């Protein structure tokens, strides 16, 4: 049997799994702090949901979706992103939900791309959505949430790129202007960009193959062709971010290719990672998505943050990892006569909310101490014949070997107090 996981997936084991768990927990905490509520949508959806919302010429639809037919002959797809599913769920249950609906999720997504560091086929995202929210204050809020989260992780080499991509009023004229600029160079475009030229021309601007070619760099920019309403919206977003102390760079080449994306577009890019991995969070406004799904006009804005890439960036910047999640205390007993006292102490610690573990069977002292170290325990509580007779426990802090013998009744207070271990 092959023991390695499928290509494009990875096992998360301690201590890296504990670092990822820390990212999950902080995403939950930060979301709730901003008033967002937890949601879950299915891991797989009807294929049509993603085919309609990602666009027929997008890489997601043409190259990356995990699509299969179930036993009933239905075409289903593992979710490559979450926004479409959350908006679908909102439209189905809108009569039961508040307005605006502020939702978030932390979960796994799936894309059949070429595996590389920071680009797995199964990957982890933190998704935040503010649905039925048209005001630029909503844009600024979700951007501020992402910015605060990344800064709190200690990432110093991450830059927020911000742009406005217009709306259904001003973007059609810009698209025609862009197509007219690119058509004389059609033979210089790669196959994908030639296919997109008339259906999705904005994607040429951020194409990895053609985006840096001189004639593409000379193309007109959407931010120079905004209507008054879009320009006012963008100015309000920038003003709110500046008021919140969120630093950004206006990136006039930042675009979104699909028509339902409107106005604000943003990305957080890590300078600690390669360009292929560098975008660790991307988001923007999608005021046309609900109508694309057959619902009523419903504005929305949100982001998706790749937590695998956040962890990579933290490792590259040598940001201190969260503390290990092993037991606070590993109970070690010496001799069969101490087994009952050891089991009682484990139960007492757990009842008091102190994570505790112990061997399942009798082992030599040296083997038990090695188990405690591998388990990531902070302390060892040792009970031998001497401690049993005295009604005491010897506590040892593993990081430096400092130890104290304390009354058995006081073990919980010694393990939860902040002082007493300084000498």
């Amino acid at each position: 049997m092959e023991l390695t996981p499928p290509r494009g997936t990875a096992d998360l084991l301690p201590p890296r799994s504990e670092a990822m768990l820390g990212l999950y927990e902080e995403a939950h905490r930060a979301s709730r702090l901003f008033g967002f509520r937890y949601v879950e949508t299915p891991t797989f959806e009807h294929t049509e949901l993603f085919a309609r919302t990602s666009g027929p010429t997008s890489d997601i639809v043409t190259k990356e979706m995990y699509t299969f037919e179930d036993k009933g002959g239905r075409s289903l797809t593992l979710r490559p992103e979450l926004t479409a599913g959350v908006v679908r769920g909102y439209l189905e249950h809108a009569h039961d939900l508040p307005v605006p609906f502020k939702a978030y999720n932390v979960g796994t997504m799936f894309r059949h791309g070429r595996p590389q560091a920071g680009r797995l086929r199964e990957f982890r995202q933190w998704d935040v959505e503010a649905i039925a929210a048209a005001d630029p204050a909503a844009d600024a809020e979700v951007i501020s949430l992402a910015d605060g989260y990344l800064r709190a992780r200690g990432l110093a080499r991450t830059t927020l790129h911000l742009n406005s991509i217009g709306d259904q009023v001003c973007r059609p004229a810009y698209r025609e202007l862009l197509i007219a600029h690119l058509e004389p160079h059609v033979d210089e475009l790669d196959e994908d960009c030639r296919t997109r030229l008339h259906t999705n021309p904005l994607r040429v601007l951020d194409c990895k193959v053609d985006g840096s070619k001189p004639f593409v760099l000379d193309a007109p920019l959407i931010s120079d062709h905004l209507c008054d309403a879009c320009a006012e919206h963008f100015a309000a977003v920038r003003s709110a971010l500046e008021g919140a102390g969120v630093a950004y760079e206006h990136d006039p080449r930042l675009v979104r290719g699909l028509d339902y994306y409107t106005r604000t577009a943003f990305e957080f890019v890590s300078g600690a990672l390669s360009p292929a991995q560098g975008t660790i969070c991307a988001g923007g406004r999608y005021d046309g998505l609900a109508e694309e799904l057959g619902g009523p006009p419903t504005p929305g804005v949100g982001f998706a943050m790749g937590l695998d890439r956040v962890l990579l960036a933290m490792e590259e910047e040598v940001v201190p990892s969260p503390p290990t999640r092993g037991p606070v205390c590993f109970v070690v007993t010496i001799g069969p006569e101490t087994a009952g006292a050891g089991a009682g102490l484990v139960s007492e610690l757990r009842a008091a909310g102190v994570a505790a573990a112990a061997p399942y069977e009798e082992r030599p002292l040296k083997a038990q101490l090695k188990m405690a170290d591998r388990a990531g325990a902070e302390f060892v509580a040792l009970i031998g014949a001497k401690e049993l007779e005295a009604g005491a426990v010897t506590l040892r802090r593993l990081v430096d070997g400092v130890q104290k013998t304390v009354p058995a009744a006081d073990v919980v207070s010694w393990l939860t107090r902040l002082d007493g271990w300084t000498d």
Side-chain angles (χ1 to χ4, degrees):
M1 161 123 183
E2 178 64 62
L3 296 181
T4 57
R7 187 167 184 254
T9 67
D11 295 313
L12 272 179
L13 302 172
R16 207 164 189 268
S17 59
E18 294 169 340
M20 182 62 75
L21 177 60
L23 294 182
Y24 293 165
E25 292 176 343
E26 287 303 312
H28 285 289
R29 185 198 63 79
S31 299
R32 292 193 296 267
L33 185 66
F34 274 65
F36 288 83
R37 300 170 69 180
Y38 182 72
V39 302
E40 286 194 12
T41 59
T43 304
F44 55 88
E45 299 264 9
H46 296 292
T47 299
E48 181 188 14
L49 175 70
F50 303 117
R52 291 184 64 175
T53 59
S54 296
T57 63
S58 71
D59 286 345
I60 293 176
V61 172
T62 60
K63 302 176 183 178
E64 298 179 353
M65 292 203 312
Y66 274 98
T67 297
F68 60 96
E69 187 175 287
D70 71 1
K71 293 182 179 179
R74 292 171 288 263
S75 180
L76 303 174
T77 296
L78 295 177
R79 61 188 186 194
E81 54 91 20
L82 204 69
T83 301
V86 174
V87 173
R88 176 200 55 71
Y90 170 80
L91 292 175
E92 183 184 9
H93 302 282
H95 57 284
D96 296 323
L97 297 173
V99 176
F101 181 51
K102 298 171 64 174
Y104 83 96
N105 175 269
V106 180
T108 50
M109 313 295 149
F110 306 87
R111 293 189 185 182
H112 193 275
R114 185 171 66 86
Q116 55 186 287
R119 193 181 291 273
L120 296 174
R121 291 175 172 175
E122 179 186 31
F123 54 98
R124 297 147 192 87
Q125 277 189 353
W126 172 32
D127 187 85
V128 169
E129 312 291 351
I131 302 173
D135 196 279
D139 307 43
E141 181 176 68
V142 299
I143 294 171
S144 296
L145 172 54
D147 179 74
Y149 179 89
L150 294 172
R151 286 190 290 108
R153 306 285 73 75
L155 296 176
R157 299 176 60 189
T158 299
T159 304
L160 168 60
H161 294 240
L162 182 70
N163 196 25
S164 176
I165 56 173
D167 63 8
Q168 68 278 7
V169 174
C170 53
R171 196 159 60 216
Y174 169 73
R175 282 167 56 98
E176 294 305 313
L177 188 65
L178 180 60
I179 291 171
H181 173 84
L182 294 173
E183 275 186 328
H185 304 278
V186 64
D187 292 337
E188 302 174 61
L189 296 172
D190 81 331
E191 183 178 353
D192 285 342
C193 285
R194 285 198 299 271
T195 301
R196 295 168 177 155
L197 179 58
H198 289 274
T199 59
N200 206 344
L202 274 71
R203 287 296 310 277
V204 177
L205 298 180
D206 65 354
C207 174
K208 292 180 174 61
V209 176
D210 294 325
S212 60
K213 292 179 178 177
F215 69 89
V216 177
L217 294 176
D218 289 339
L221 300 172
I222 180 63
S223 54
D224 294 332
H225 297 82
L226 298 177
C227 61
D228 290 344
C230 287
E232 290 172 7
H233 187 100
F234 192 38
V237 172
R238 286 181 292 170
S239 177
L241 292 176
E242 290 160 6
V246 176
Y248 66 87
E249 290 184 4
H250 178 206
D251 183 352
R253 304 189 62 77
L254 178 61
V255 297
R256 297 284 185 267
L258 300 177
D259 287 341
Y260 67 75
Y261 287 111
T262 58
R263 298 184 172 177
T264 307
F266 63 91
E267 293 181 356
F268 287 85
V269 180
S270 170
L273 303 177
S274 71
Q277 306 167 340
T279 300
I280 59 179
C281 176
R285 180 161 284 282
Y286 46 84
D287 290 352
L289 178 54
E291 290 177 89
E292 187 74 25
L293 296 178
T298 307
V301 62
F303 68 75
M305 184 178 294
L307 296 180
D308 301 273
R309 293 190 181 183
V310 171
L311 185 55
L312 279 176
M314 292 172 65
E315 292 167 347
E316 287 296 320
E317 292 196 37
V318 198
V319 174
S321 297
T324 61
R325 301 303 180 94
V328 172
C329 184
F330 195 95
V331 177
V332 170
T333 59
I334 305 172
E337 70 278 8
T338 64
L345 180 57
V346 169
S347 296
E348 180 185 354
L349 290 169
R350 290 172 177 171
V354 178
Y360 290 121
E361 67 282 325
E362 186 176 352
R363 291 196 171 195
L365 174 60
K366 187 174 181 180
Q368 293 185 70
L369 293 175
K370 189 173 184 179
M371 289 176 66
D373 184 60
R374 287 188 171 180
E378 296 179 53
F379 295 90
V380 161
L382 190 148
I383 305 175
K386 181 178 66 174
E387 286 84 5
L388 186 65
E389 182 179 353
V393 173
T394 297
L395 295 177
R396 179 185 300 174
R397 188 169 59 189
L398 290 181
V399 68
D400 55 13
V402 172
Q403 68 181 41
K404 300 175 182 292
T405 299
V406 304
D410 295 341
V411 171
V412 170
S413 63
W414 273 93
L415 290 176
T416 54
R417 66 193 297 181
L418 297 177
D419 58 355
W421 290 93
T422 55
D423 58 342

